[in-house]
Amino acid sequence: MRVDFRMELRSVGTALRLAESVLLAGGQRQARRNAWAAVCENRRHAAARELDGGPAGGPVGGPAGAPAGGPAKAARR
């Protein structure tokens, strides 16, 4: 009796997800997805700060009239 385990893989991503599911436990896979989501969210916030010219509500750690970027950036000027 012969059992055929071949599957049709529609993309490289599908193949990688299949390999990931076989090689990694479910908790590790979820942790990696959460970590990547956090990286992407951080990049979105950084891009928004770049477009706005600095953090919302004034610089962090500095007085209201301080230059954008806080004390560290002001010290370099």
Side-chain angles (χ1 to χ4, degrees):
M1 177 178 189
R2 182 170 182 236
V3 179
D4 191 4
F5 286 106
R6 286 185 292 173
M7 299 175 60
E8 182 180 338
L9 299 176
R10 297 184 183 268
S11 69
V12 173
T14 302
L16 291 175
R17 278 190 295 277
L18 177 62
E20 182 184 45
S21 68
V22 170
L23 297 173
L24 298 177
Q28 288 175 327
R29 186 170 61 244
Q30 187 62 45
R32 284 181 49 189
R33 287 182 182 158
N34 290 345
W36 183 246
V39 167
C40 292
E41 185 67 19
N42 191 16
R43 288 177 179 174
R44 280 192 290 275
H45 285 293
R49 284 193 304 270
E50 287 291 322
L51 290 175
D52 292 341
V60 175
K73 196 166 191 179
R76 290 191 302 250
R77 291 184 179 168

